[in-house]
Protein backbone atom coordinates (compact mmCIF):
# COMPACT_ATOMS: atom_id res chain seq x y z
CA UNK A 1 0.00 0.00 0.00
CA UNK A 2 1.62 3.26 -1.12
CA UNK A 3 0.52 6.78 -0.17
CA UNK A 4 1.61 9.66 -2.39
CA UNK A 5 1.05 13.41 -2.53
CA UNK A 6 -0.40 14.48 -5.88
CA UNK A 7 -1.69 17.79 -4.55
CA UNK A 8 -0.30 21.34 -4.75
CA UNK A 9 1.03 21.64 -1.19
CA UNK A 10 2.89 19.65 1.42
CA UNK A 11 0.86 17.37 3.67
CA UNK A 12 0.36 18.14 7.36
CA UNK A 13 -1.01 16.39 10.44
CA UNK A 14 -1.64 12.73 11.10
CA UNK A 15 -2.12 10.39 8.16
CA UNK A 16 -4.26 7.29 8.76
CA UNK A 17 -4.42 4.36 6.36
CA UNK A 18 -7.00 1.63 6.93
CA UNK A 19 -7.33 -1.53 4.86
CA UNK A 20 -10.81 -3.04 4.47
CA UNK A 21 -9.97 -6.69 3.90
CA UNK A 22 -12.33 -8.81 1.79
CA UNK A 23 -14.64 -11.09 3.78
CA UNK A 24 -12.96 -14.32 4.83
CA UNK A 25 -9.41 -12.96 4.82
CA UNK A 26 -7.63 -12.05 8.05
CA UNK A 27 -4.55 -9.90 8.60
CA UNK A 28 -1.33 -11.67 9.57
CA UNK A 29 1.19 -8.81 9.59
CA UNK A 30 1.12 -5.12 8.70
CA UNK A 31 4.14 -2.81 8.74
CA UNK A 32 6.10 -0.19 6.86
CA UNK A 33 9.15 2.03 7.52
CA UNK A 34 8.05 5.05 9.57
CA UNK A 35 4.51 3.77 10.03
CA UNK A 36 2.87 2.77 13.32
CA UNK A 37 0.57 -0.14 12.53
CA UNK A 38 -2.07 -2.14 14.39
CA UNK A 39 -2.74 -5.51 12.80
CA UNK A 40 -6.04 -6.03 14.63
CA UNK A 41 -7.59 -2.94 13.04
CA UNK A 42 -5.49 -3.10 9.83
CA UNK A 43 -4.57 0.55 10.41
CA UNK A 44 -1.29 2.45 10.07
CA UNK A 45 -0.53 6.08 11.05
CA UNK A 46 2.29 8.62 10.80
CA UNK A 47 2.78 12.35 11.48
CA UNK A 48 5.61 13.51 9.17
CA UNK A 49 4.80 15.89 6.34
CA UNK A 50 4.85 14.61 2.75
CA UNK A 51 6.21 16.91 0.02
CA UNK A 52 4.41 17.41 -3.28
CA UNK A 53 5.22 14.60 -5.71
CA UNK A 54 6.65 12.38 -2.97
CA UNK A 55 5.51 9.03 -1.58
CA UNK A 56 5.82 7.48 1.85
CA UNK A 57 7.62 4.13 2.21
CA UNK A 58 5.09 1.40 1.39
CA UNK A 59 3.01 -0.54 3.88
CA UNK A 60 3.12 -4.31 3.49
CA UNK A 61 0.02 -6.19 4.58
CA UNK A 62 0.09 -10.00 4.53
CA UNK A 63 -3.09 -11.99 4.96
CA UNK A 64 -4.30 -15.48 5.76
CA UNK A 65 -6.42 -16.95 2.98
CA UNK A 66 -8.72 -19.88 3.83
CA UNK A 67 -8.86 -22.82 1.45
CA UNK A 68 -11.79 -22.48 -0.92
CA UNK A 69 -11.93 -18.66 -0.76
CA UNK A 70 -13.90 -17.17 -3.65
CA UNK A 71 -11.90 -15.48 -6.37
CA UNK A 72 -11.33 -12.75 -7.36
CA UNK A 73 -11.60 -10.57 -4.26
CA UNK A 74 -11.56 -6.77 -4.03
CA UNK A 75 -9.40 -5.03 -1.43
CA UNK A 76 -10.09 -1.40 -0.44
CA UNK A 77 -7.75 1.03 1.30
CA UNK A 78 -8.96 4.29 2.88
CA UNK A 79 -6.86 7.37 3.66
CA UNK A 80 -7.67 10.14 6.16
CA UNK A 81 -5.73 13.22 7.26
CA UNK A 82 -2.52 14.78 6.05
CA UNK A 83 -4.40 17.93 5.07
CA UNK A 84 -6.13 16.04 2.28
CA UNK A 85 -9.72 15.15 1.57
CA UNK A 86 -10.51 11.47 2.32
CA UNK A 87 -9.30 9.15 -0.42
CA UNK A 88 -9.63 5.47 -1.23
CA UNK A 89 -8.32 2.92 -3.69
CA UNK A 90 -9.51 -0.55 -4.67
CA UNK A 91 -7.84 -3.37 -6.52
CA UNK A 92 -8.78 -6.90 -7.46
CA UNK A 93 -6.74 -9.97 -6.63
CA UNK A 94 -7.06 -13.45 -8.08
CA UNK A 95 -6.66 -16.19 -5.48
CA UNK A 96 -5.12 -19.39 -6.82
CA UNK A 97 -6.02 -22.63 -5.04
CA UNK A 98 -2.90 -24.42 -3.76
CA UNK A 99 -1.58 -27.53 -5.47
CA UNK A 100 -3.08 -30.56 -3.74
CA UNK A 101 0.19 -32.53 -3.90
CA UNK A 102 2.56 -29.82 -2.56
CA UNK A 103 2.32 -29.39 1.20
CA UNK A 104 2.85 -26.12 3.06
CA UNK A 105 6.01 -27.58 4.62
CA UNK A 106 7.53 -28.66 1.29
CA UNK A 107 10.99 -27.13 0.79
CA UNK A 108 10.19 -26.59 -2.89
CA UNK A 109 6.90 -24.76 -2.23
CA UNK A 110 8.17 -21.16 -2.64
CA UNK A 111 9.71 -21.85 -6.05
CA UNK A 112 6.69 -23.85 -7.22
CA UNK A 113 4.28 -21.14 -6.08
CA UNK A 114 6.30 -18.42 -7.81
CA UNK A 115 6.37 -20.47 -10.98
CA UNK A 116 2.58 -20.52 -10.86
CA UNK A 117 2.20 -16.85 -9.96
CA UNK A 118 4.30 -15.95 -13.02
CA UNK A 119 1.91 -18.11 -15.12
CA UNK A 120 4.78 -20.35 -16.18
CA UNK A 121 2.84 -23.40 -15.04
CA UNK A 122 -0.73 -24.28 -14.16
CA UNK A 123 0.22 -27.73 -12.94
CA UNK A 124 0.11 -31.24 -14.35
CA UNK A 125 -3.59 -31.78 -13.62
CA UNK A 126 -6.14 -28.97 -13.37
CA UNK A 127 -9.00 -31.08 -12.06
CA UNK A 128 -11.16 -29.10 -9.59
CA UNK A 129 -11.27 -28.26 -6.79
CA UNK A 130 -7.47 -28.38 -6.51
CA UNK A 131 -4.91 -28.73 -9.28
CA UNK A 132 -1.82 -30.92 -8.96
CA UNK A 133 1.81 -30.13 -9.75
CA UNK A 134 3.33 -33.67 -9.81
CA UNK A 135 6.52 -32.47 -8.08
CA UNK A 136 8.34 -35.81 -8.19
CA UNK A 137 7.76 -36.47 -11.90
CA UNK A 138 10.73 -36.11 -14.22
CA UNK A 139 10.42 -33.14 -16.54
CA UNK A 140 10.64 -33.86 -20.26
CA UNK A 141 12.47 -31.83 -22.88
CA UNK A 142 9.11 -30.86 -24.38
CA UNK A 143 7.78 -29.56 -21.08
CA UNK A 144 11.06 -27.78 -20.41
CA UNK A 145 10.68 -25.85 -23.65
CA UNK A 146 7.38 -24.43 -22.38
CA UNK A 147 8.85 -23.42 -19.01
CA UNK A 148 11.95 -21.76 -20.47
CA UNK A 149 10.17 -19.90 -23.28
CA UNK A 150 7.49 -18.57 -20.93
CA UNK A 151 10.17 -17.33 -18.52
CA UNK A 152 11.98 -15.53 -21.36
CA UNK A 153 8.97 -14.20 -23.29
CA UNK A 154 6.68 -13.51 -20.32
CA UNK A 155 3.91 -15.73 -21.62
CA UNK A 156 2.66 -17.49 -24.73
CA UNK A 157 2.18 -14.44 -26.95
CA UNK A 158 5.14 -14.80 -29.32
CA UNK A 159 5.87 -15.58 -32.95
CA UNK A 160 7.99 -18.52 -34.07
CA UNK A 161 9.33 -20.14 -37.22
CA UNK A 162 6.60 -22.19 -38.86
CA UNK A 163 8.84 -24.67 -40.68
CA UNK A 164 9.73 -27.51 -38.28
CA UNK A 165 13.33 -27.56 -37.15
CA UNK A 166 13.18 -31.11 -35.84
CA UNK A 167 12.07 -34.30 -37.58
CA UNK A 168 10.38 -35.58 -34.41
CA UNK A 169 8.45 -32.35 -33.63
CA UNK A 170 5.98 -31.61 -36.40
CA UNK A 171 3.44 -28.78 -36.41
CA UNK A 172 0.84 -31.04 -34.82
CA UNK A 173 2.97 -31.69 -31.74
CA UNK A 174 1.45 -30.14 -28.57
CA UNK A 175 4.75 -28.39 -27.73
CA UNK A 176 5.57 -27.38 -31.32
CA UNK A 177 5.39 -23.60 -30.84
CA UNK A 178 7.52 -23.56 -27.71
CA UNK A 179 10.14 -25.94 -29.09
CA UNK A 180 10.37 -23.87 -32.28
CA UNK A 181 10.78 -20.70 -30.22
CA UNK A 182 13.41 -22.36 -28.05
CA UNK A 183 15.38 -23.05 -31.24
CA UNK A 184 14.72 -19.53 -32.57
CA UNK A 185 16.22 -18.14 -29.36
CA UNK A 186 19.27 -20.37 -29.68
CA UNK A 187 18.65 -22.02 -26.32
CA UNK A 188 18.72 -25.49 -27.88
CA UNK A 189 20.07 -27.11 -31.01
CA UNK A 190 19.10 -30.79 -30.98
CA UNK A 191 19.54 -34.06 -29.12
CA UNK A 192 20.95 -35.78 -32.21
CA UNK A 193 19.70 -36.74 -35.65
CA UNK A 194 18.17 -39.55 -37.67
CA UNK A 195 17.74 -40.22 -41.37
CA UNK A 196 15.13 -37.44 -41.57
CA UNK A 197 17.35 -34.80 -39.93
CA UNK A 198 17.94 -33.22 -36.50
CA UNK A 199 15.69 -34.41 -33.67
CA UNK A 200 14.69 -32.80 -30.36
CA UNK A 201 13.65 -35.88 -28.30
CA UNK A 202 10.66 -34.10 -26.69
CA UNK A 203 9.70 -37.07 -24.51
CA UNK A 204 13.17 -37.66 -23.07
CA UNK A 205 13.76 -36.56 -19.47
CA UNK A 206 15.94 -33.48 -18.99
CA UNK A 207 19.21 -34.28 -17.26
CA UNK A 208 20.92 -32.02 -14.74
CA UNK A 209 23.64 -31.38 -17.30
CA UNK A 210 21.16 -30.29 -19.95
CA UNK A 211 19.34 -28.20 -17.36
CA UNK A 212 22.50 -26.16 -16.75
CA UNK A 213 22.58 -25.18 -20.43
CA UNK A 214 18.88 -24.29 -20.52
CA UNK A 215 19.12 -22.10 -17.41
CA UNK A 216 22.34 -20.25 -18.31
CA UNK A 217 21.16 -19.53 -21.86
CA UNK A 218 17.77 -18.51 -20.45
CA UNK A 219 19.51 -16.01 -18.17
CA UNK A 220 22.21 -14.60 -20.45
CA UNK A 221 20.99 -15.38 -23.95
CA UNK A 222 22.45 -17.87 -26.39
CA UNK A 223 25.26 -15.70 -27.74
CA UNK A 224 26.50 -13.95 -24.59
CA UNK A 225 29.96 -15.04 -23.48
CA UNK A 226 30.39 -15.64 -19.75
CA UNK A 227 33.29 -16.29 -17.42
CA UNK A 228 33.53 -19.35 -15.21
CA UNK A 229 36.03 -21.01 -12.92
CA UNK A 230 38.52 -23.21 -14.76
CA UNK A 231 38.98 -25.32 -11.64
CA UNK A 232 36.21 -27.97 -11.38
CA UNK A 233 33.69 -27.15 -8.65
CA UNK A 234 32.27 -30.68 -8.63
CA UNK A 235 34.25 -33.91 -8.50
CA UNK A 236 32.04 -35.61 -11.11
CA UNK A 237 32.17 -32.75 -13.65
CA UNK A 238 35.69 -32.40 -15.03
CA UNK A 239 36.77 -29.87 -17.63
CA UNK A 240 36.25 -32.35 -20.48
CA UNK A 241 32.55 -32.76 -19.63
CA UNK A 242 30.26 -31.46 -22.39
CA UNK A 243 28.35 -29.33 -19.88
CA UNK A 244 31.36 -28.19 -17.83
CA UNK A 245 31.18 -24.42 -18.47
CA UNK A 246 27.42 -24.19 -17.87
CA UNK A 247 27.55 -26.26 -14.69
CA UNK A 248 30.46 -24.18 -13.40
CA UNK A 249 28.50 -20.98 -14.04
CA UNK A 250 25.40 -22.46 -12.40
CA UNK A 251 27.41 -23.08 -9.25
CA UNK A 252 29.16 -19.70 -9.40
CA UNK A 253 25.80 -17.90 -9.50
CA UNK A 254 24.44 -19.88 -6.56
CA UNK A 255 21.70 -21.47 -8.67
CA UNK A 256 22.78 -24.93 -7.55
CA UNK A 257 24.80 -26.33 -4.68
CA UNK A 258 25.20 -30.06 -5.27
CA UNK A 259 23.36 -33.37 -5.43
CA UNK A 260 25.41 -34.74 -2.57
CA UNK A 261 29.04 -35.46 -1.73
CA UNK A 262 31.60 -38.19 -1.43
CA UNK A 263 34.97 -38.35 0.27
CA UNK A 264 36.38 -36.56 -2.78
CA UNK A 265 33.99 -33.59 -2.46
CA UNK A 266 30.73 -32.25 -3.82
CA UNK A 267 29.00 -33.85 -6.79
CA UNK A 268 26.57 -32.46 -9.39
CA UNK A 269 25.18 -35.73 -10.87
CA UNK A 270 25.01 -34.36 -14.44
CA UNK A 271 23.34 -37.46 -15.87
CA UNK A 272 20.52 -37.63 -13.32
CA UNK A 273 17.03 -36.62 -14.49
CA UNK A 274 15.50 -33.40 -13.18
CA UNK A 275 12.19 -33.54 -11.33
CA UNK A 276 9.50 -30.88 -11.70
CA UNK A 277 10.14 -29.56 -8.18
CA UNK A 278 13.89 -29.28 -8.81
CA UNK A 279 13.19 -27.53 -12.10
CA UNK A 280 11.12 -24.92 -10.27
CA UNK A 281 14.11 -23.99 -8.12
CA UNK A 282 16.53 -23.95 -11.05
CA UNK A 283 14.23 -21.71 -13.10
CA UNK A 284 13.34 -19.30 -10.30
CA UNK A 285 16.94 -18.86 -9.17
CA UNK A 286 18.31 -18.72 -12.69
CA UNK A 287 15.80 -16.66 -14.62
CA UNK A 288 14.10 -14.49 -12.00
CA UNK A 289 16.43 -14.08 -8.99
CA UNK A 290 18.54 -11.28 -10.46
Amino acid sequence: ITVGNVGSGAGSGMVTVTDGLPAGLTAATMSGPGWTCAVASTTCTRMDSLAVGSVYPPITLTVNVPLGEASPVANQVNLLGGGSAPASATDSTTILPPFADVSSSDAFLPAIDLLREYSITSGCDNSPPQPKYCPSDNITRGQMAVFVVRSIMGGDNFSFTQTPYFADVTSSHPFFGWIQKLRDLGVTSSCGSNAAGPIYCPDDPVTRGQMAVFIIRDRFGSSTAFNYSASPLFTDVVSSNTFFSWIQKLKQLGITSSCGSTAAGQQYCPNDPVTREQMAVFLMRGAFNQ
Side-chain angles (χ1 to χ4, degrees):
I1 303 167
T2 303
V3 176
N5 185 347
V6 296
S8 58
S12 61
M14 179 176 287
V15 175
T16 301
V17 172
T18 304
D19 190 286
L21 285 176
L25 276 62
T26 56
T29 64
M30 190 175 190
S31 64
W35 292 93
T36 299
C37 298
V39 177
S41 60
T42 58
T43 299
C44 293
T45 59
R46 65 191 301 148
M47 288 291 295
D48 51 319
S49 176
L50 186 63
V52 175
S54 299
V55 296
Y56 287 126
I59 299 167
T60 300
L61 171 62
T62 61
V63 298
N64 299 310
V65 183
L67 187 62
E69 179 71 15
S71 180
V73 294
N75 188 66
Q76 180 171 311
V77 179
N78 300 306
L79 171 71
L80 294 173
S84 168
S88 64
T90 303
D91 66 3
S92 178
T93 299
T94 299
I95 297 176
L96 300 174
F99 289 121
D101 55 353
V102 183
S103 74
S104 59
S105 60
D106 193 310
F108 295 98
L109 176 67
I112 292 171
D113 273 355
L114 285 170
L115 208 65
R116 189 163 181 226
E117 289 174 25
Y118 279 109
S119 299
I120 295 173
T121 186
S122 58
C124 65
D125 181 354
N126 288 320
S127 300
Q130 281 187 268
K132 294 181 180 179
Y133 181 71
C134 306
S136 299
D137 286 4
N138 293 335
I139 186 165
T140 67
R141 288 172 55 86
Q143 294 167 344
M144 193 67 220
V146 178
F147 285 117
V148 172
V149 169
R150 283 177 177 170
S151 72
I152 294 174
M153 304 304 298
D156 295 332
N157 185 21
F158 55 82
S159 59
F160 56 88
T161 300
Q162 297 297 311
T163 303
Y165 286 118
F166 305 106
D168 58 347
V169 184
T170 63
S171 59
S172 61
H173 194 281
F175 299 129
F176 177 71
W178 293 280
I179 292 171
Q180 291 289 104
K181 190 62 177 181
L182 201 70
R183 179 68 180 85
D184 287 340
L185 293 168
V187 176
T188 189
S189 52
S190 72
C191 67
S193 61
N194 60 22
I199 56 176
Y200 181 75
C201 310
D203 298 321
D204 285 2
V206 176
T207 67
R208 286 171 59 87
Q210 295 167 345
M211 173 64 74
V213 179
F214 280 128
I215 295 301
I216 295 302
R217 285 182 173 169
D218 184 344
R219 180 158 180 155
F220 293 107
S222 61
S223 60
T224 301
F226 56 85
N227 298 319
Y228 56 90
S229 172
S231 178
L233 300 174
F234 299 103
T235 58
D236 59 345
V237 184
V238 296
S239 57
S240 59
N241 188 290
T242 303
F243 303 115
F244 178 74
S245 60
W246 290 281
I247 293 172
Q248 292 285 99
K249 192 64 176 178
L250 210 64
K251 171 68 166 146
Q252 178 186 325
L253 293 171
I255 296 170
T256 188
S257 52
S258 72
C259 66
S261 61
T262 65
Q266 289 187 328
Q267 292 187 311
Y268 181 73
C269 309
N271 298 320
D272 284 3
V274 178
T275 63
R276 287 171 58 88
E277 61 187 4
Q278 292 168 345
M279 179 278 306
V281 175
F282 276 122
L283 199 57
M284 276 298 131
R285 287 180 180 173
F288 292 90
N289 188 20
Q290 300 184 56

